[in-house]
Amino acid sequence: MLLCIDCGNTNTVFSIWDGSEFLATWRIATDHRRTADEYFVWLSGLMALKGVPRGISEAIISSTVPRVVFNLRVLCNRYYDCRPLVVGKPDCALPVGPRVDPGTTVGPDRLVNTVAGYDRHGGDIVVVDFGTATTFDVVASDGAYIGGVIAPGVNLSLEALHMSAAALPHVDVTHPAQVIGTNTVACIQSGVYWGYIGLVEGIVRQIRAERDRPMKVIATGGLAGLFDQGFDLFDAVEDDLTIHGLRLIHDYNKGLSQ
C-alpha cells in the first residue's frame, strides 16, 4: 500500500492508497517538533480504528515546510521500511517539468496540483488552492506548470486584521447574508468574503487575458466550497486534488524504474 503525505503550513494530510482506491484520509496539525515515533503511534491508532490493514510499503511526500520532512522520512524508513519519494527533489520526476525562470523553486504543492489538475481536466487550466496562502497555478496545454499568483490566505488575512487592529475581533469566514454589515463582525465577514470573491474574479480575468485563450478554473483547499456558493467562479471543486496528484506522481516514477 502507498502512504501519501501532503504537508502544508497549517495541516498535514495522510492518505492510504491500496492500488485501486484511497482507504482512508486523516489530517493533523503541522508541527516540525513532532517526531517519527509520534506520527507512527497516531497513524497506527487511526488505522486500527478504521480497520485499515497493515502493509504500507511505499510512500510519497509533498511538503511546504522543509523542517517537517526529516521526521516524515524517518517515519517511512523506520516503520515502513521504505524510502519515500519527496516531490521537488531531483530523484522525483514529473510527467512534465515546470517552465519558469531559471533558478526558481516551485512549491511542491503547486507541482502536485498541476499534475492532478491536468489529469482530471486537461491543459489550459487555473488551479486555485485556498490554503494558508491562496495560490493560482497556471497549467499549459501540455500539462506544464508555467507560473501563477500567490495571495494571502483567507484565514491569514483575518488573523492579520485581528492582530493589527486592537478594536477588531477575530471572526470566522462565512457567506454573509448581505454585503452591507450592520455590526463589526458582519462588516469584517463581508469585507473578507466579498473581497476574496473579487480577488479570484479579478486575477482569473487577468490570467485569461494574458493567456488569450479559454481557461478552466479548478478550486481546491478547505474553503473552496464556501466560495463556490451561488457563483460561477469555478468549473469544478476538487477536495482531494493534492492527494490524487501525489498518487499520480508516485505511479509515474514507479513506471520509470520498471
Side-chain angles (χ1 to χ4, degrees):
M1 294 192 298
L2 171 67
L3 175 62
C4 297
I5 306 174
D6 170 30
C7 176
N9 289 293
T10 304
N11 293 310
T12 300
V13 177
F14 292 74
S15 193
I16 297 175
W17 173 259
D18 72 350
S20 59
E21 64 177 346
F22 283 104
L23 299 179
T25 298
W26 302 282
R27 71 179 57 232
I28 191 171
T30 299
D31 185 350
H32 70 272
R33 298 167 299 179
R34 188 170 287 115
T35 66
D37 303 326
E38 289 175 303
Y39 280 122
F40 179 70
V41 170
W42 172 79
L43 189 58
S44 296
L46 288 173
M47 289 175 66
L49 188 64
K50 188 75 173 178
V52 176
R54 296 187 178 186
I56 293 172
S57 59
E58 300 171 296
I60 183 169
I61 301 168
S62 167
S63 177
T64 59
V65 186
R67 296 176 69 185
V68 175
V69 174
F70 174 78
N71 281 318
L72 291 175
R73 282 183 181 271
V74 174
L75 167 71
C76 298
N77 291 331
R78 179 181 298 167
Y79 291 106
Y80 303 120
D81 194 27
C82 67
R83 182 174 182 271
L85 276 172
V86 180
V87 179
K89 299 298 183 182
D91 62 343
C92 183
L94 299 173
V96 183
R99 293 196 293 272
V100 293
D101 294 342
T104 299
T105 300
V106 181
D109 55 331
R110 309 184 79 177
L111 297 174
V112 174
N113 284 346
T114 293
V115 172
Y118 181 73
D119 178 72
R120 287 184 170 172
H121 301 280
D124 290 328
I125 62 172
V126 180
V127 179
V128 184
D129 189 347
F130 291 91
T132 303
T134 300
T135 59
F136 297 72
D137 303 325
V138 182
V139 184
S141 58
D142 64 348
Y145 171 87
I146 58 172
V149 177
I150 301 176
V154 178
N155 286 318
L156 188 62
S157 295
L158 281 169
E159 187 66 25
L161 188 63
H162 170 62
M163 294 294 291
S164 300
L168 297 181
H170 178 75
V171 302
D172 294 324
V173 63
T174 186
H175 184 173
Q178 56 191 32
V179 176
I180 302 173
T182 54
N183 57 68
T184 302
V185 169
C187 288
I188 296 173
Q189 289 174 332
S190 183
V192 170
Y193 185 84
W194 294 108
Y196 272 85
I197 291 289
L199 180 143
V200 172
E201 288 178 329
I203 290 177
V204 168
R205 182 170 59 249
Q206 291 301 116
I207 290 173
R208 284 171 170 157
E210 195 167 296
R211 294 289 292 160
D212 194 25
R213 66 189 66 190
M215 303 284 291
K216 289 183 179 180
V217 181
I218 313 303
T220 190
L223 293 176
L226 177 66
F227 290 97
D228 190 45
Q229 297 180 10
F231 302 98
D232 192 25
L233 289 178
F234 313 121
D235 294 282
V237 175
E238 304 274 6
D239 294 331
D240 63 340
L241 195 68
T242 307
I243 291 296
H244 176 64
L246 283 172
R247 195 266 297 177
L248 292 174
I249 292 172
H250 177 270
D251 287 352
Y252 179 74
N253 281 268
K254 192 172 182 179
L256 293 176
S257 63
Q258 291 177 346

